[in-house]
Amino acid sequence: MATLLAIESSCDDTSAAIIRDGMVLSNCIANQEAHRQYGGVVPEVASRAHQVNIIPVVDLAIKKAGIDKKEIQAVGFTRGPGLLGSLLVGTSFAKAFALSRNLPLIEVNHMHAHVLAHFAEDPKPPFPFLCLTVSGGHTQIMLVRDFMDMEILGQTQDDAAGEAFDKSGKLLGLGYPAGPLIDKHASAGQARFPFPEPSMPGLDFSFSGLKTSILHFLKRETAANPHFITVHLDDICASIQGTIVTILLKKLRKAALETGIQHIAIAGGVSANSGLRKALQTMGEQEGWTTYIPAFQYCTDNAGMIGIAAYYKYLAGVFCGQDAVPYARQS
Ligand SMILES: Nc1ncnc2c1ncn2[C@@H]1O[C@H](COP(=O)(O)OP(=O)(O)OP(=O)(O)O)[C@@H](O)[C@H]1O
Ligand SMILES: [Mg+2]
């Protein structure tokens, strides 16, 4: 029996989970509300909040799992990519916990963990599969050959899909993070305002042009009607969401055709988007894909997915030393 403690602190969520034999026994998250007033994550505020939250969150995860601390056999932690100051808190905690109990340490790549969140519950995708990983900092199409063998086939060259949601929401005067709010308004609206799609080569993405075209569109329309946003908010959100989803799925379809892979997953915070989930299902039915959509609790940052990724490394005997340092970017 393998019981692991997992720690996630790459951005603004402090999370701890207990994993036993590949099952998530507890998955606790302390969200940081402090960033809302700034309209985005403030790195210094995030790392200070991690310091306050980390011990209570770990305590809670152990309590909720109904285990004793002594049963923990290894510690998994997010080493990167993410905010360095934030990563340092989780990494230092994991190292200290492991050192004091003489436990092995397992470093986890945050983006791989988003993909491996699919192994927290059934149905689990068979290898190889494609995963569209769409989050606050990344947009990638991954070819997943194994738990530790993943290749990025295409990725964004500027903003991530989550940023496209959040920055569009900011232009509309919505709160942060705007993704879930745009999702909510979009479900009551019609996608009747066309926004241009970028022409990116291969399987790469670009979202910065979309943000600029939304800005120009809103400037033009509010000059003619100062109440334009308030009156048409639902339709504007449906149009923005529709454009982002179309851009994502066109490339995913291209990747499926090029690789011949028919097992298709989505992961990351934006995979919580109802428009994307629905459109993937529809495209899957048309293309004959088997699609994998994660449960909501495994979409945005959580230590459960870190623990799943750590568990498979544990089984393979892949550990790291106390000298492992966080990294901000994926190499
Ligand atoms: N329902 C939704 N619709 C659209 N976007 C959403 C939804 N729910 C969450 N998001 C977006 O998901 C993003 C957060 O996802 P996640 O926590 O995976 O990102 P991150 O960890 O900050 O970035 P990364 O994983 O790239 O380091 C935010 O941009 C948020 O707006
Ligand atoms: Mg994330």
Side-chain angles (χ1 to χ4, degrees):
M1 188 152 62
T3 306
L4 274 66
L5 166 67
I7 308 287
E8 155 64 30
S9 74
S10 66
C11 192
D12 59 334
D13 294 313
T14 321
S15 182
I18 299 292
I19 312 305
R20 176 166 284 168
D21 294 337
M23 300 265 296
V24 180
L25 298 188
S26 64
N27 191 12
C28 302
I29 304 172
N31 299 113
Q32 300 181 5
E33 291 298 320
H35 304 279
R36 281 186 197 277
Q37 59 184 305
Y38 304 109
V41 176
V42 183
E44 177 61 21
V45 174
S47 43
R48 283 172 191 269
H50 282 305
Q51 289 182 34
V52 174
N53 293 335
I54 188 98
I55 291 174
V57 169
V58 170
D59 263 346
L60 189 63
I62 292 170
K63 251 187 221 122
K64 277 201 168 173
I67 64 154
D68 190 280
K69 261 193 212 79
K70 292 190 194 82
E71 295 176 60
I72 296 169
Q73 290 159 278
V75 185
F77 66 98
T78 307
R79 187 174 159 207
L83 300 170
L84 275 182
S86 290
L87 288 164
L88 268 170
V89 179
T91 306
S92 308
F93 180 90
K95 284 182 184 177
F97 192 97
L99 187 66
S100 64
R101 290 167 189 276
N102 201 23
L103 300 176
L105 271 174
I106 305 166
E107 56 145 309
V108 171
N109 176 310
H110 180 86
M111 298 316 295
H112 288 192
H114 270 304
V115 174
L116 296 177
H118 281 283
F119 292 84
E121 287 176 345
D122 287 331
K124 300 175 174 74
F127 298 115
F129 66 93
L130 292 180
C131 188
L132 171 72
T133 312
V134 271
S135 56
H138 297 80
T139 301
Q140 303 175 331
I141 296 179
M142 298 256 222
L143 167 56
V144 189
R145 294 192 189 90
D146 198 359
F147 294 110
M148 282 172 282
D149 183 1
M150 301 186 201
E151 184 186 341
I152 300 169
L153 301 181
Q155 59 186 325
T156 184
Q157 296 301 317
D158 41 56
D159 290 350
E163 268 178 294
F165 273 104
D166 295 338
K167 287 179 179 174
S168 306
K170 204 167 184 177
L171 297 174
L172 294 171
L174 299 175
Y176 177 85
L181 301 169
I182 291 185
D183 192 350
K184 198 165 141 245
H185 284 289
S187 62
Q190 294 288 326
R192 60 188 180 85
F193 302 116
F195 294 112
E197 292 169 31
S199 56
M200 288 300 285
L203 297 173
D204 283 341
F205 299 93
S206 166
F207 288 102
S208 62
L210 175 64
K211 181 188 59 195
T212 312
S213 65
I214 293 168
L215 177 67
H216 289 316
F217 167 79
L218 292 177
K219 267 192 183 158
R220 198 174 58 236
E221 296 296 338
T222 49
N225 171 11
H227 304 295
F228 179 80
I229 293 179
T230 327
V231 175
H232 299 290
L233 186 59
D234 293 344
D235 289 352
I236 301 169
C237 288
S239 305
I240 293 170
Q241 179 170 298
T243 308
I244 295 173
V245 169
T246 302
I247 294 169
L248 292 170
L249 288 190
K250 274 189 184 168
K251 291 286 174 147
L252 191 55
R253 185 169 175 273
K254 189 173 160 64
L257 287 173
E258 284 179 9
T259 57
I261 294 173
Q262 300 254 300
H263 290 278
I264 313 285
I266 53 173
V270 180
S271 68
N273 183 266
S274 57
L276 176 61
R277 293 164 88 94
K278 219 159 101 194
L280 178 75
Q281 261 169 344
T282 307
M283 184 172 272
E285 282 159 22
Q286 284 163 1
E287 301 290 323
W289 298 343
T290 309
T291 53
Y292 301 87
I293 298 174
F296 285 111
Q297 61 160 325
Y298 294 114
C299 290
T300 43
D301 291 349
N302 67 94
M305 68 182 193
I306 304 301
I308 294 292
Y311 171 70
Y312 288 101
K313 281 190 150 184
Y314 179 88
L315 291 185
V318 179
F319 301 105
C320 69
Q322 284 281 337
D323 56 349
V325 288
Y327 55 88
R329 290 185 168 276
Q330 192 166 10
S331 52

